[in-house]
Amino acid sequence: MRVFTRSVRKFQSAFQHRGVHIYPRVVNEKNPLSTSNSRSSEVCRCNRWSSSNSHMMIPRRLYADKVDVTGGVESNAAGPLIEYNRRIAAGELLDGDVCQEAILRELQRLYDELVENENACRLDKYAATEKTSRSRWLWSRLTQQSSSSPVKGLYLYGGVGTGKTMLMDLFYEQLPSNWRKKRIHFHDFMLGVHSHLRKHKGVADPLEVVAGEISDESILLCLDEFMVNDVADALILNRLFKQLFSNGVMLVATSNRAPDKLYEGGLQRVLFLPFISTLKERCVVREIGSALDYRKMTSAEQGFYFIGNSLSGLVKEKFQQLFGGKETPAPKEVEVVMGRKLQVPLGAMGCAYFPFEDLCDKPLGAADYFGLFKCFHTLCLDGVPIFGLHNKTAAYRFVTLIDVMYENRARLVCSAEASPIELFEKVITISEAQEKAPRTSSRSKKNDDIDICVDNELGFAKDRTISRLTEMNSREYLEQHAANLLQA
């Protein structure tokens, strides 16, 4: 149900700025980014392993004729397809999307199979054994018995903005509360895996112990944004998931990539290929074929994305206006996974200020960003540059930063050299590079842009980042953020 109880217009007057090109346009109304979610502690301590965000869905406009999807099911039936149909009937979602409905039928089928096989799948956490993870691991070593689930999982993939996360959340929200289940972003999941591997250093097979811990806690694992671009992740995924599946774990995952395209072109990919076979063996693979990007269908004429080459100090000025004298911004320290600490230049009342260089030009990664947004709900980011070959690494970090912000439904205030699309114009895939006109006598090498970055992974990820930046600056997203703060 929509929770748009507060208009984002309450958050916008601090962002009036004459003579500056603003993308999207800022509405001239009352108090901007005020918040009641203050953070008084200098050190923010974050629980990395058990993170699970409960998102409020942004209503989507769906363009297709609504069809009868209940199939005569009794009125007390449950499941994602039933709930989807109820929301359309209630006007919470408008119309229907035939591509999404096809996926919802798959999710409903999976839901029904899980309910039917609840005992065989050991889903009820209250009926599960109380053995510790180490004793469970020892018992499995002694018995050498495999207990793969009788129900296969589901791997959903599709283009940017096709509603994968919304569909997963719709499925997850319908699952009984007594089930052993977890919904988590893939980045966050892998950070937890690496953290637990270090904790069990010295054990004969720490990966087997970690797999036992995961399956003991969550026999149904829902991973959003499944992507592999790290060689350390790639090298352990096959053994980890073979053990998880052997322990009875069922996987529901969303991804921009088909299984065969995962970690494409990555280092030592030959060692990763067995994981793809394991994944396809234990999951039904389905593509979401919608050509629409629902994120770009929001009212993107709002937001706090400032464009210009001479905006030095603007974002810091806006940051200072967030508090209205209620708290003095000061340097903060955020504790992240593995005992590391992230220095925040300025922070107050749940808002953090960073120059772009401090977040994306330094050796930081997903762990640091997740730690940051466990403690702050708003980021003021100053000076996002146009990306190219010279700052490819910073571009990768920026993509990860936006992914983590989106996962945590954080709010972004930033200044940038160009619009989201223009930021990535120099980043292209190999196929895009091959489509460029061949050199002739009138087009020589000296006419090439030497800052063009040809990178498949980054070229593929940029569309997701552009799409998310668009949605994060929309009225709907900001209203959702405001409502979340009121409920916190």
Side-chain angles (χ1 to χ4, degrees), residues 34-182:
S34 59
T35 173
S36 59
N37 188 10
S38 63
R39 305 279 181 176
S40 56
S41 174
E42 289 297 310
V43 178
C44 304
R45 303 189 181 277
C46 312
N47 184 342
R48 304 292 301 115
W49 179 253
S50 61
S51 118
S52 180
N53 298 317
S54 57
H55 301 331
M56 297 162 46
M57 288 197 315
I58 297 177
R60 267 84 166 158
R61 173 81 185 178
L62 305 178
Y63 292 95
D65 291 334
K66 175 175 170 289
V67 298
D68 179 12
V69 293
T70 58
V73 180
E74 296 178 5
S75 59
N76 62 349
L81 185 58
I82 307 301
E83 175 63 13
Y84 177 82
N85 200 38
R86 185 200 67 76
R87 293 185 187 187
I88 290 177
E92 297 166 27
L93 293 175
L94 301 179
D95 302 325
D97 183 316
V98 291
C99 295
Q100 290 189 347
E101 284 173 359
I103 297 302
L104 278 159
R105 291 182 190 279
E106 285 290 340
L107 288 167
Q108 183 68 42
R109 177 197 55 76
L110 175 59
Y111 175 90
D112 292 339
E113 284 189 28
L114 292 172
V115 170
E116 184 178 349
N117 294 276
E118 179 179 4
N119 293 331
C121 293
R122 297 177 288 127
L123 281 161
D124 190 341
K125 63 185 175 186
Y126 300 110
T129 177
E130 295 183 357
K131 290 190 179 88
T132 65
S133 57
R134 279 182 180 265
S135 64
R136 180 189 296 277
W137 170 74
L138 178 60
W139 178 253
S140 68
R141 295 284 289 180
L142 292 172
T143 59
Q144 292 293 309
Q145 292 180 346
S146 174
S147 55
S148 296
S149 169
V151 176
K152 285 189 176 185
L154 189 61
Y155 182 97
L156 305 176
Y157 73 96
V160 168
T162 51
K164 299 181 294 297
T165 296
M166 183 272 286
L167 294 172
M168 170 176 276
D169 287 344
L170 187 61
F171 168 77
Y172 189 81
E173 289 163 6
Q174 303 309 305
L175 301 176
S177 59
N178 63 307
W179 283 8
R180 290 190 291 151
K181 57 186 172 47
K182 179 187 286 289

Side-chain angles (χ1 to χ4, degrees), residues 334-361:
V334 172
E335 187 173 302
V336 297
V337 74
M338 297 173 278
R340 293 206 312 271
K341 293 181 179 179
L342 175 64
Q343 303 301 319
V344 181
L346 287 175
M349 298 180 67
C351 302
Y353 168 84
F354 278 88
F356 176 84
E357 294 79 8
D358 285 4
L359 268 187
C360 298
D361 271 344

Side-chain angles (χ1 to χ4, degrees), residues 411-479:
R411 178 173 49 190
L412 176 66
V413 180
C414 77
S415 63
E417 291 183 2
S419 70
I421 292 176
E422 293 167 335
L423 289 180
F424 289 94
E425 278 187 337
K426 294 182 179 181
V427 177
I428 60 176
T429 62
I430 293 174
S431 61
E432 289 171 338
Q434 291 171 342
E435 289 173 3
K436 286 184 174 292
R439 294 191 186 98
T440 63
S441 57
S442 61
R443 182 185 178 274
S444 62
K445 185 175 181 178
K446 68 180 181 180
N447 293 322
D448 289 345
D449 186 342
I450 61 173
D451 199 33
I452 288 291
C453 175
V454 181
D455 186 293
N456 259 2
E457 285 300 321
L458 189 57
F460 190 84
K462 73 175 184 179
D463 289 336
R464 181 176 73 250
T465 303
I466 292 166
S467 175
R468 287 182 166 176
L469 282 170
T470 301
E471 184 184 339
M472 289 167 71
N473 283 281
S474 71
R475 175 175 55 82
E476 290 90 345
Y477 186 96
L478 293 171
E479 285 180 340

Side-chain angles (χ1 to χ4, degrees), residues 301-322:
E301 291 299 319
Q302 311 288 330
F304 312 113
Y305 187 110
F306 299 91
I307 295 177
N309 292 318
S310 57
L311 300 180
S312 178
L314 173 63
V315 172
K316 183 176 285 189
E317 175 189 335
K318 301 307 176 186
F319 172 77
Q320 297 285 352
Q321 294 176 15
L322 301 181

